Amino acid sequence: MPLDRSDIEAALKKKGFQLSVGDHNFFTYHTQAGKKSSVWTKTSHGSGFKTLGDNLVSAMAKQCGLTTPQFKNLVACPLTQEALERILIETGRIRVELPQEGGNTGPQKD
């Protein structure tokens, strides 16, 4: 089923993707902790691409590390940013760094 480009772009922005404009609209995923990731996708400025067909939706899903049904759920909103991030972590597309242990815990004894 085709998706409206404006719906896709709005959903991406709500789910942690940040927009940068160039020859296309580039969307890069930033984790909930605010770290930029290597997960990205893009849309065209062209007026011929107001509605994106299944082939382009599938390509965008692949770029984002999702299946096409997962990507469509991302756009339709059942897939939250939290769920998206879990998928990206489970599939190895992003890594979440844990806080380092062994920080300064108080005065040291000689």
Side-chain angles (χ1 to χ4, degrees):
M1 166 177 39
L3 297 176
D4 188 84
R5 178 181 65 197
S6 62
D7 291 341
I8 293 171
E9 292 177 343
L12 291 172
K13 290 178 196 175
K14 288 180 187 175
K15 306 289 174 75
F17 286 82
Q18 292 186 12
L19 171 66
S20 62
V21 178
D23 59 337
H24 288 80
N25 291 327
F26 291 91
F27 295 88
T28 305
Y29 182 71
H30 288 70
T31 67
Q32 293 176 340
K35 301 278 186 181
K36 183 178 179 180
S37 76
S38 62
V39 176
W40 65 276
T41 191
K42 65 182 179 178
T43 59
S44 176
H45 295 292
S47 60
F49 294 98
K50 289 185 179 183
T51 302
L52 305 181
D54 288 337
N55 60 335
L56 288 177
V57 171
S58 293
M60 292 178 77
K62 186 175 182 178
Q63 289 170 337
C64 291
L66 300 171
T67 65
T68 300
Q70 287 171 330
F71 186 80
K72 287 182 177 183
N73 281 334
L74 180 76
V75 174
C77 287
L79 186 65
T80 64
Q81 183 176 359
E82 293 79 13
L84 168 63
E85 198 157 304
R86 270 194 313 274
I87 292 168
L88 296 175
I89 291 167
E90 289 170 2
T91 59
R93 290 294 306 263
I94 63 172
R95 290 181 47 199
V96 176
E97 293 183 24
L98 300 174
Q100 291 185 2
E101 293 184 30
N104 189 359
T105 58
Q108 299 285 323
K109 292 186 180 181
D110 289 283

